[in-house]
Amino acid sequence: MDFNVKKLASGAGLFFTRAVQFTEEKLGQAEKTELDAHFENLMSRADCTKNWTEKIYRQTEVLLQPNPSARIEEFLYEKLDRKAPSRITNGELLGQYMQDAAKEFGSPYGSTLIKVGECERRLGAAEREFLQTSAISFLTPLRNFLEGDWKTISKERRLLENLRLDLDACKTRLKKAKLAEAKAAMAPDFQETRPRNYVLSASASALWSEEVEKAEHELRVAQTEFDRQAEVTRLLLEGISSTHVNHLRCLHEFVEAQAAFYKQCHLHMQELQKELGRLPNAFSLNSTHSMAAAGSSAEGVSSPVETDTLKIEEVQAPATGTRKAKVLYDYDAADSSELSLLADELITVYTLPGMDSDWLIGERGNQKGKVPVTYLELLS
């Protein structure tokens, strides 16, 4: 118990000494050991790295999981060292609802819902894979730096600051001891108004000499500890460069995962557009055109656009009504009656009497064929 009391008293005294030194430095009454410019630059760079890494980490979390409640739940599972339950993505849930609704409708709308629902579920699955990959390859390294490396750096920097305060306190103590020693060693002045006891003065001089030797020893010890800690802290701060290299590699992996995710989503949507383009017109079932086609067949009248397969060689562009159109997506022709398209190219388009409103005739040079309207942006 006595040992613990002494240790507590010693710790309190050390804390008080540091507090006094810190206060005097702030008031300009004590000197402060300044670190070299390179060391200051290393600390500034480390602080900058920590601050921006923390902001990037938090915002990436928001990007990957916009729901704050879900983020809190994942945080609690992580702190409890338990695996978070698998959560269905919004895209997967939407796709499931669409497919369930299609079973109740049983109409062209329902069949379209099945196609779109399947696509949404694939998009949701791709999103879940992207979230998992990003969390492992990007978020985890950033969190490891903030919760591991940075905490170690902060701990060593605090220790270095405490040792600096001890060093400067030793310097101040030595300076005061030397002033007192010099005053005690002054030659006697017999003209003093109040004569001193020079026997006691000689004894005090000897005591102050011992105090100076003790202060010098403490200063050497404090300087050695400070230099050792400064070197340890410097090595940790220089390791920030390795941290940047590691985070750069993780950033590349995050970009690759994001690019793969968006590419996969684009492919899914392109495939969905192709499938929807081959379905019957969802806006009008074209019953009027079907009846007109039946009547024309009965009268022996034939038209290129009324047959199952469009006879492209018989199609002639109208004198008026043609327009320019920009292709939005690549399109592969399903048969010889269709025209394959490349994104961003310009083609001439027009419609023919009795033609499905979801399709237009497209011409590019000597080539022509049916093209889906959903793949085009009509220009004025």
Side-chain angles (χ1 to χ4, degrees), residues 58-73:
R58 299 303 178 196
Q59 192 57 38
T60 306
E61 275 191 324
V62 173
L63 172 68
L64 299 180
Q65 179 51 265
N67 188 344
S69 300
R71 292 202 302 272
I72 293 174
E73 180 183 352

Side-chain angles (χ1 to χ4, degrees), residues 19-32 34 172 175:
V20 170
Q21 177 65 28
F22 180 80
T23 304
E24 290 180 348
E25 288 177 358
K26 291 297 182 182
L27 297 176
Q29 299 175 356
E31 296 181 359
K32 176 181 177 181
E34 298 292 343
T172 302
K175 185 178 180 180

Side-chain angles (χ1 to χ4, degrees), residues 235-249:
L235 292 175
L236 288 173
L237 292 174
E238 289 175 346
I240 292 293
S241 298
S242 300
T243 299
H244 285 190
V245 173
N246 181 43
H247 289 180
L248 175 62
R249 177 182 57 81

Side-chain angles (χ1 to χ4, degrees), residues 101-236:
K103 297 176 182 177
E104 300 290 336
F105 296 154
S107 62
Y109 174 46
S111 61
T112 305
L113 277 176
I114 292 178
K115 296 291 184 182
V116 177
E118 290 175 354
C119 181
E120 292 295 337
R121 297 187 71 167
R122 289 196 294 268
L123 293 175
E127 180 185 4
R128 186 173 65 253
E129 182 180 355
F130 165 64
L131 296 179
Q132 294 172 350
T133 303
S134 299
I136 295 173
S137 64
F138 190 60
L139 278 183
T140 299
L142 297 185
R143 183 172 61 248
N144 289 342
F145 167 73
L146 293 172
E147 297 181 356
D149 296 348
W150 180 252
K151 285 187 176 181
T152 302
I153 292 174
S154 299
K155 177 183 176 182
E156 298 300 329
R157 284 177 63 177
R158 287 194 298 270
L159 181 57
L160 177 65
E161 178 65 13
N162 289 336
L163 292 177
R164 186 199 63 76
L165 290 172
D166 294 343
L167 175 63
D168 289 337
C170 289
K171 289 180 179 179
T172 302
R173 193 179 304 118
L174 177 60
K175 185 178 180 180
K176 291 180 179 178
K178 285 185 175 180
L179 289 175
E181 181 189 28
K183 185 177 181 180
M186 289 175 60
D189 183 4
F190 297 100
Q191 302 300 323
E192 289 181 346
T193 305
R194 299 176 60 186
R196 289 181 293 169
N197 187 329
Y198 293 104
V199 175
L200 293 177
S201 296
S203 176
S205 178
L207 290 175
W208 281 116
S209 296
E210 292 180 3
E211 184 66 22
V212 168
E213 292 180 0
K214 180 181 178 182
E216 288 177 343
H217 174 72
E218 291 178 350
L219 178 60
R220 286 193 296 270
V221 172
Q223 185 70 56
T224 301
E225 292 180 351
F226 174 78
D227 291 341
R228 184 187 303 114
Q229 183 60 34
E231 185 62 24
V232 171
T233 308
R234 182 192 302 274
L235 292 175
L236 288 173

